[in-house]
Amino acid sequence: MEYNQQHWDYADKQHLRTLLKQRRQEVSTINRELASSQACSLAIPVIDHIRRQLDHELTVLAYMPFASELDTRLLLTDLRNKGDQVYIPLTHRENTSMSWHQWNDSTTMKPGAFGILEPSNDAPLQEESWGKIDMILVPGVAFDRQGGRLGMGAGYYDRFWSRLFEVLSFEARSAVELGDGGMKKVCNRPVRISLLYSWQLLEAVPMESHDMSVDVLVHEDEIIYTTAHRD
């Protein structure tokens, strides 16, 4: 279900977050499992197409689902089975940053500061290796077809994306063509993909200049190539 903009108070991002978090808490276990399976199944061929274009195994920044969030683990397992390198964030509240650590069978996971499963602080992906990042799976509480994203409010992903731009030059990267039919665009930076419940898709999400947008949205019923051309 796609909610109409009039249902929400866009002047208050925190109010919108609260409403959508409450809605997420109401998702039943069976509906979460069904939506997660369908969204992951739709996302897999999208990522396969990106892998074929780049012609190498992917380096993917991902995350562990929390509580009643849409469960991405089916997708993450598929990535690993195809030889991709999957990295999971460890949050550092002392400086509100994230480091990225490879997720594999030997990774030790434990609840982090927000109750989300996080890896140990061993062998983070160093900034000098960020150039090999091909894709980022981005969590959020609301999205729109323009690529707008409303995060949890702490700004970890926004700050990481800003730092990524400081560290890297994207001009030399291999470009990836996204979309099909009349909706196509070329992306020469890490592709940002978000998996969501259909009800998390809004008409418009309030965005500020520093907010991280996304390139592709996938929910249980649809793949959406956003119109975002902003960083």
Side-chain angles (χ1 to χ4, degrees):
M1 178 179 182
E2 184 174 335
Y3 283 77
N4 189 281
Q5 183 173 355
Q6 66 186 10
H7 289 282
W8 309 105
D9 177 9
Y10 282 88
D12 187 346
K13 293 173 73 172
Q14 188 53 48
H15 178 56
L16 179 57
R17 285 192 185 96
T18 299
L19 290 173
L20 287 163
K21 287 178 183 179
Q22 290 174 346
R23 172 68 177 86
R24 192 170 64 192
Q25 291 173 354
E26 297 168 359
V27 176
S28 67
T29 299
I30 189 169
N31 286 338
R32 177 179 185 250
E33 291 175 350
L34 180 60
S36 299
S37 176
Q38 292 175 331
C40 287
S41 295
L42 286 176
I44 286 171
V46 173
I47 297 174
D48 287 345
H49 179 62
I50 293 171
R51 189 185 299 106
R52 286 193 298 270
Q53 290 186 67
L54 294 175
D55 196 27
H56 61 69
E57 294 169 346
L58 302 176
T59 296
V60 181
L61 306 187
Y63 62 93
M64 286 289 113
F66 175 66
S68 54
E69 273 187 329
L70 193 135
D71 192 343
T72 58
R73 287 174 293 181
L74 175 65
L75 175 59
L76 303 190
T77 300
D78 181 79
L79 295 176
R80 282 178 46 189
N81 288 342
K82 292 172 178 172
D84 299 331
Q85 304 295 306
V86 178
Y87 290 82
I88 302 295
L90 173 65
T91 56
H92 304 278
R93 299 190 72 174
E94 66 276 10
N95 61 2
T96 60
S97 68
M98 294 188 296
S99 58
W100 298 89
H101 305 261
Q102 191 167 1
W103 178 62
N104 52 42
D105 293 334
S106 62
T107 304
T108 300
M109 305 290 290
K110 62 181 180 180
F114 298 98
I116 304 170
L117 284 177
E118 294 186 337
S120 65
N121 199 21
D122 298 330
L125 184 65
Q126 300 296 324
E127 286 190 359
E128 55 264 31
S129 297
W130 284 5
K132 67 180 183 179
I133 298 170
D134 299 302
M135 182 182 308
I136 307 174
L137 299 180
V138 189
V141 297
F143 305 87
D144 62 38
R145 292 176 183 273
Q146 294 74 46
R149 166 187 169 267
L150 183 67
M152 295 292 287
Y156 282 90
Y157 279 83
D158 300 323
R159 280 188 292 275
F160 169 72
W161 186 251
S162 176
R163 179 58 183 161
L164 192 64
F165 263 78
E166 293 176 1
V167 171
L168 300 183
S169 172
F170 295 135
E171 286 75 12
R173 291 179 59 91
S174 297
V176 173
E177 186 177 82
L178 301 174
D180 50 22
M183 179 58 231
K184 286 189 177 182
K185 64 180 180 181
V186 174
C187 183
N188 68 340
R189 44 175 170 55
V191 179
R192 296 159 291 179
I193 300 178
S194 292
L195 274 65
L196 60 147
Y197 297 105
S198 56
W199 52 263
Q200 290 180 286
L201 181 64
L202 307 185
E203 183 178 330
V205 168
M207 292 284 284
E208 299 177 62
S209 59
H210 61 272
D211 289 338
M212 182 182 186
S213 61
V214 293
D215 302 301
V216 186
L217 303 173
V218 184
H219 61 69
E220 62 267 35
D221 300 319
E222 187 180 11
I223 300 166
I224 300 165
Y225 297 98
T226 73
T227 59
H229 293 285
R230 52 169 292 182
D231 295 333

